[in-house]
Amino acid sequence: MIRGRYMRRHHGRHTNGNNVRPGVSPNHPMSGRYLHTVGSPPAQTVYYHWRHCYQPGHLRWTQPSHLQHRLSSFSTVRHPSSRPPRPPDPYNWSYWRQTGILPHTQPRRGLQLSAGLMDHSNSEPPRKRKRSSDRRQAGEDLQCSHERSPPKGSRIPKGSPEWLHNVTCTPVPPGKFPSSPNESPSTPELKRHWEDLSHLCTAAPSVNGGRQKWPFDFSVMSYNILSQDLLCDNTYLYRHCHPPILDWRHRYPNIIKELDKHSADIMCLQEVQEDHYKQQIKPSLESLGYHCEYKRRTGLKPDGCAVVFKRERFSLVSCHPIEYFQHGIPLLDRDNVGLIVLLQPIDPRCSLTNICVANTHLLYNPRRGDIKLAQLAMLLAEISRVAQLPDSKVCPVLLCGDFNSVPWSPLYHFIRDSTLEYDGLTIGKVSGQEENPRGQRILSVPIWPRSLGISQQCQYESQTTDSDLRDLERAEPDSFTKASIEHCLKLTSAYSHYLKESSQPEITTCHSRTAITVDYIFYSAALGDVMAQAECSVPPEKGLQLLGRLSLVGEDELQKVNGLPNQHNSSDHLPLLTRFRLHPQEEQKHLHVGVFGDCCLLGGAVIKTCLGFVL
């Protein structure tokens, strides 16, 4: 059986003579698999030579004269004291190249990107491969699988080489980095520059009693650091890479140095492998002054999401992990997670509102937009609950992560526009990852069942206020019959998704299959913010102003450094880095009232009163 364009051997499988296909010898161990039905020229060539040389019914290899100088490893004489020589394996194409029957091909090292979105209408999408339970035994170091195969239509070497082994046996002390393996050939460093946007902010500074109130500026990073387990399970995505740069002993110090270099006040990390987090990443970040929170994926998945922040700049108010897997709801049967923290800025000069920081890694599968939207609805409902203020409004929100959706896709528009009309929308088009999506099923109405306990406004149903219920009843007797969803958060993307100089798309992730944007930092934009939409902004003290961001790059720049990962960038994603400003809250006026006869003292002012009323 041929998988896509590539063949896989079934070791130890012999065909019963009663079930042999016509024209195939039952004596040959590969008789259940044959090549003459394959249309590719190399397969036809191999089949021709194999059938010409191997004679059914004779347990011997007949070496033709024109190949005798090439096939010296196979004897043409059957010695009584030796076993009959086995015919060459028709599926071992390396052997046929050695004989000269097939041309030699050099392993591909250069990066060859597909055009923007993935266009694999006739093949399975590249997916993050699942790990079986027997591969994670207690106390056993994980190694790359030797029996993994790529999705249909992909290439992958037969086994994962030694250099991809997941080295976790030696914990590294904080601040100490292990020596890298054999250095790869020198690769130019990716050039990214800082975009200063502070001069475009129009919000005026707060002034109280003639005294200016100091704003609170802080930086935020979102970074998918690439789990080593997932790298090992998906080596076909990194066949353009020089082998040593994929070794964790090279990647780990690079990642920590990059995090330390940018020194963001808040960092949202995805694909953080649990054993690496406990043994190396968390100790290193704590030594740099960070507080760390972590949520591992459910099931057997070894990675998860982490939110870390500088202890000198924020204090933790609360932490809320989210599991998207829900028992009894078939739609939500995946192991993705989210993590929300509520942080209090530390600044003795002024009073600042809390900041709600959410981090997630949504499902990858391009054809399951229904699952992505249901996972997102769960996340937005929890954000709405955690970020709610006493006046029923919400504090500033930062929504970061790998959303596995491209800019301007329906899922992206739902986050940014707070609403999505999905009547007739197919599940394969929700994320926009594929130009020719194969998921053709129409999104159901409603997308998620009522048993989830989340309304079509992405709020917990018990949270909905009486006024909200009355408005909903007037607008639609049963919102679960309407093909639309919405949320109450007013969010804006910190990146424009196009390069200013060339108008080419920005890239946040790149490997052998594609180069697109799937990583985002969304935030509650304050009035006057450079990225704010008029209808999606909030007062300055309850929103954030974007002061700057680390620029992204396009495909041309990535080509020059041989894509991702490379010698200097040790993930297949680029970190997003932004800087925000939070304005102080309006001070609450505490009124002290003292009544003296027909006068009252109100905040130091004497006001005439009559029968208890102010004149």
Side-chain angles (χ1 to χ4, degrees), residues 23-64:
V24 180
S25 168
N27 296 322
H28 194 274
M30 296 295 292
S31 59
R33 312 273 305 284
Y34 58 109
L35 286 167
H36 75 275
T37 59
V38 181
S40 66
Q44 294 281 6
T45 303
V46 169
Y47 173 73
Y48 169 79
H49 285 282
W50 183 82
R51 292 295 295 162
H52 180 75
C53 303
Y54 177 68
Q55 313 221 348
H58 301 276
L59 292 177
R60 62 178 297 182
W61 168 251
T62 303
Q63 186 179 16

Side-chain angles (χ1 to χ4, degrees), residues 218-221 266 268 307 314 339-341 343 355-360 379 383 387 395-401 403 489 491-492 494 520-524 544 546 578-580:
F218 64 100
S219 55
V220 179
M221 173 187 284
I266 302 173
C268 295
V307 178
F314 296 94
L339 182 61
I340 300 173
V341 297
L343 303 180
I355 300 174
C356 181
V357 181
N359 182 23
T360 193
L379 181 66
I383 293 173
C395 68
V397 172
L398 284 162
L399 175 55
C400 307
F403 292 82
L489 307 175
L491 300 172
T492 300
Y520 303 92
I521 296 177
F522 295 102
Y523 66 102
S524 303
L544 301 172
L546 180 64
T578 54
R579 189 163 187 83
F580 293 102

